[in-house]
Amino acid sequence: MADSTTSTGSPGSRILGLTTLLGLAGLLLFAFALTEPDVRLHPTTGEEFGQFDAVRLLYLHVPMAVLTYVAFLTCAVASAGYLLKRGAWWDVTAHASAEVGTVFCGLVLVTGSIWGKPVWNTWWEWGDVRLMTTLVLFLLFTGYLALRRTPAEPQRQARRAAVVALVAVLDIPLINRSVEWWENRTLHQQSTLAELKIEDLTLFTLMLGFVVFGLVFAWLMLHRFRVGWLEQAQADRDMALAIAERHAEMETLDVDAAIGRTGGGK
Amino acid sequence: MGNREVVQVRELFTDARLVATRDLRIEARSRVLLNQVAPFALLVLVLFGFALDADQRTLRTFAPGLFWVAVLLAALLAVQRSTSLEHADDAHTGLRLSGMAPSSVFLGKAVAVFVQLIVLETLLTMGIVVLYGSEVDDPVLLVLTAAAAAVAVATTGTLYGALASGLGARETLLPILLLPVLAPVLIGATRSFDDALGAAAVDGWAWLGLLVVFGLVATVLGALAYGAMIED
């Protein structure tokens, strides 16, 4: 018991962490060195066009975007589970996945923005549906995490956080629809991936990106979940300790009273 | 629907009316909305004028968006006020002990906020007509949009107000929780007003549809989730 409360690591998580690190190194090697930049020739003018080296960011950006949605969906399912079952496991899972999802979401926005500057010639595009939806999603879950950090009675906080997560996820289709109608245009070509020359190595690197970021996600989730679990255990222990101390105080007072000794005397 | 269900539904609405009347009576006596929130909303309109330009054409073009940002900011205050009523004299304990269904309380409080928002929107509409020189092209669309958006903001606001209450730092927590959720309402109501005020060529009625859907979802979700918010 004592060991399990001092660390979030285990032999399994260490192997997972090591595999993740090796995978990340491999992914960076493939994405930034071994694959070719996206350069195409215009069929009539013969001019070079394409995304050039910026395409390399997509090997990171796309998997992270997919995992952002996986994380937020996990959070919604766990939140619904908490409201139905009221178990600590659901609550800690919801909190962990929201936190990991928000980190991924932030990275998706940053990598997307860096990619957009050379390809779209702008850091930010207001009319893009996915961009705006992702930003609002990021803000929604920033609010969720702020709620999680406010001091409150744990069950009360868990219940309210669960409702916020469910509303946030239900809001996504409406945000998506409204932004789509708002400008009715998108720079996010459906064909960003389709129009690239997806050759064997490109496809392999993209798939490797999914696997590696899947591992990063699993590793972060594992540790974040364990931190949350330990936090809850610690809070429970502190509470039990405080109650035991009060009991002990009361007993001392009772004994003192029984033998006729007052608080100030010896 | 059986006899029992009919009685339950009737009770739901009777209780909701009681709560709404109580909240509105407190407002009628304290005049917080009229003396503080409404002047604040008009002040926001004036500040937009200072910040953007003295050119009325610019202001007229952006009037729909500025109007709805002013409504949302004022709505935050209205929701906070509505929530704080429950904290005064531990009123929420009284409500909980009254035996009313949480969904009745939710509907009642949302109706009270809705009525206040309609008053605010009326004042702000006069504000943009006078200050920004806006002209109403389609009054029916304008009124329906104002009502649909008020339903969406009042129901979502009431749920989130209850959600943030009883937690530390609730005054600062409410805006960051509520405003992103209301993003579709801001976009929809602005676009619809663009049409109603002739500020841009868009189909405002389609946007009104989105607002109605949002309002319905928020009402149902709020009525279902409100119990979990006030049970502690």
Side-chain angles (χ1 to χ4, degrees):
Chain A
M1 186 66 194
D3 278 350
S4 68
T5 55
T6 53
S7 163
T8 57
S10 63
S13 74
R14 286 189 193 101
I15 293 170
L16 179 65
L18 203 63
T19 318
T20 308
L21 273 181
L22 290 174
L24 270 175
L27 177 65
L28 291 179
L29 184 70
F30 273 97
F32 290 97
L34 298 180
T35 48
E36 296 292 319
D38 172 43
V39 183
R40 280 162 278 168
L41 289 178
H42 197 277
T44 48
T45 60
E47 266 180 82
E48 281 188 346
F49 75 103
Q51 299 178 17
F52 302 99
D53 279 325
V55 77
R56 301 177 189 282
L57 266 180
L58 291 187
Y59 301 123
L60 282 66
H61 175 78
V62 178
M64 281 196 290
V66 172
L67 281 162
T68 300
Y69 282 93
V70 170
F72 289 152
L73 209 64
T74 310
C75 177
V77 172
S79 299
Y82 179 77
L83 287 179
L84 293 173
K85 308 259 183 195
R86 303 279 160 115
W89 189 90
W90 295 102
D91 181 45
V92 178
T93 306
H95 189 182
S97 53
E99 207 165 289
V100 175
T102 310
V103 171
F104 271 91
C105 194
L107 288 172
V108 166
L109 288 167
V110 170
T111 51
S113 197
I114 297 171
W115 176 85
K117 185 62 184 162
V119 178
W120 292 347
N121 201 25
T122 174
W123 294 108
W124 191 259
E125 173 53 46
W126 280 89
D128 189 78
V129 181
R130 270 185 265 179
L131 203 57
M132 293 310 299
T133 309
T134 311
L135 178 62
V136 178
L137 198 57
F138 179 73
L139 293 172
L140 281 168
F141 275 90
T142 309
Y144 174 92
L145 293 181
L147 170 67
R148 282 288 191 175
R149 292 196 71 85
T150 48
E153 190 256 318
Q155 272 91 27
R156 174 188 290 186
Q157 193 189 55
R159 211 161 34 238
R160 294 176 183 203
V163 173
V164 169
L166 283 175
V167 173
V169 170
L170 282 174
D171 206 27
I172 296 171
L174 287 169
I175 296 166
N176 197 288
R177 185 102 320 249
S178 59
V179 181
E180 196 173 326
W181 283 355
W182 182 35
E183 275 304 324
N184 204 18
R185 67 198 162 100
T186 179
L187 286 175
H188 245 117
Q189 311 92 319
Q190 298 290 346
S191 51
T192 295
L193 292 174
E195 76 176 21
L196 291 173
K197 289 173 293 176
I198 299 224
E199 291 156 348
D200 291 348
L201 197 60
T202 324
L203 189 65
F204 172 78
T205 311
L206 192 63
M207 291 302 135
L208 184 67
F210 279 109
V211 173
V212 169
F213 277 103
L215 289 174
V216 173
F217 177 75
W219 187 80
L220 285 173
M221 274 295 288
L222 192 70
H223 283 281
R224 186 61 191 85
F225 178 87
R226 286 176 177 173
V227 168
W229 196 255
L230 291 178
E231 275 174 354
Q232 287 217 343
Q234 184 64 41
D236 290 347
R237 204 158 34 231
D238 285 349
M239 179 61 82
L241 209 63
I243 291 171
E245 273 173 10
R246 293 295 89 78
H247 277 305
E249 261 173 34
M250 289 306 292
E251 276 163 23
T252 316
L253 286 175
D254 287 347
V255 172
D256 286 350
I259 59 175
R261 201 161 52 176
T262 53
K266 199 173 169 221
Chain B
M1 204 154 53
N3 221 3
R4 215 169 131 234
E5 280 88 354
V6 173
V7 173
Q8 275 179 345
V9 170
R10 197 175 296 150
E11 244 175 41
L12 180 90
F13 286 108
T14 316
D15 292 349
R17 199 172 48 122
L18 276 175
V19 175
T21 319
R22 181 206 60 168
D23 277 17
L24 289 172
R25 189 173 295 137
I26 294 173
E27 170 50 33
R29 287 177 187 167
S30 65
R31 301 277 167 89
V32 170
L33 180 92
L34 281 180
N35 292 342
Q36 292 174 25
V37 183
F40 167 76
L42 287 172
L43 181 67
V44 172
L45 281 192
V46 176
L47 290 181
F48 280 143
F50 288 151
L52 284 174
D53 209 336
D55 175 24
Q56 216 173 40
R57 207 167 42 187
T58 313
L59 290 172
R60 199 160 48 226
T61 312
F62 298 116
L66 303 180
F67 174 92
W68 285 107
V69 171
V71 168
L72 286 191
L73 294 179
L76 281 176
L77 297 184
V79 167
Q80 247 153 12
R81 167 74 183 151
S82 162
T83 315
S84 69
L85 293 181
E86 303 306 329
H87 287 280
D89 300 327
D90 210 12
H92 60 294
T93 309
L95 263 189
R96 220 164 51 221
L97 294 175
S98 70
M100 289 184 189
S103 39
S104 303
V105 179
F106 168 77
L107 285 177
K109 291 197 76 68
V111 166
V113 175
F114 168 81
V115 172
Q116 296 176 47
L117 285 179
I118 292 292
V119 173
L120 272 176
E121 287 173 354
T122 311
L123 287 172
L124 283 172
T125 308
M126 292 194 276
I128 58 167
V129 168
V130 174
L131 297 171
Y132 299 172
S134 297
E135 285 166 13
V136 181
D137 273 9
D138 189 341
V140 180
L141 180 62
L142 186 96
V143 170
L144 291 179
T145 302
V151 170
V153 175
T155 47
T156 318
T158 303
L159 176 65
Y160 273 70
L163 206 141
S165 75
L167 297 176
R170 66 168 185 271
E171 295 85 0
T172 39
L173 191 60
L174 182 67
I176 56 162
L177 286 178
L178 183 59
L179 292 179
V181 176
L182 290 178
V185 178
L186 176 64
I187 297 175
T190 302
R191 295 268 88 177
S192 192
F193 259 43
D194 272 341
D195 188 5
L197 297 173
V202 285
D203 179 13
W205 292 95
W207 286 103
L208 179 62
L210 183 106
L211 292 175
V212 171
V213 171
F214 191 105
L216 284 175
V217 172
T219 307
V220 173
L221 205 73
L224 290 175
Y226 198 73
M229 299 299 98
I230 59 167
E231 71 184 33
D232 44 41

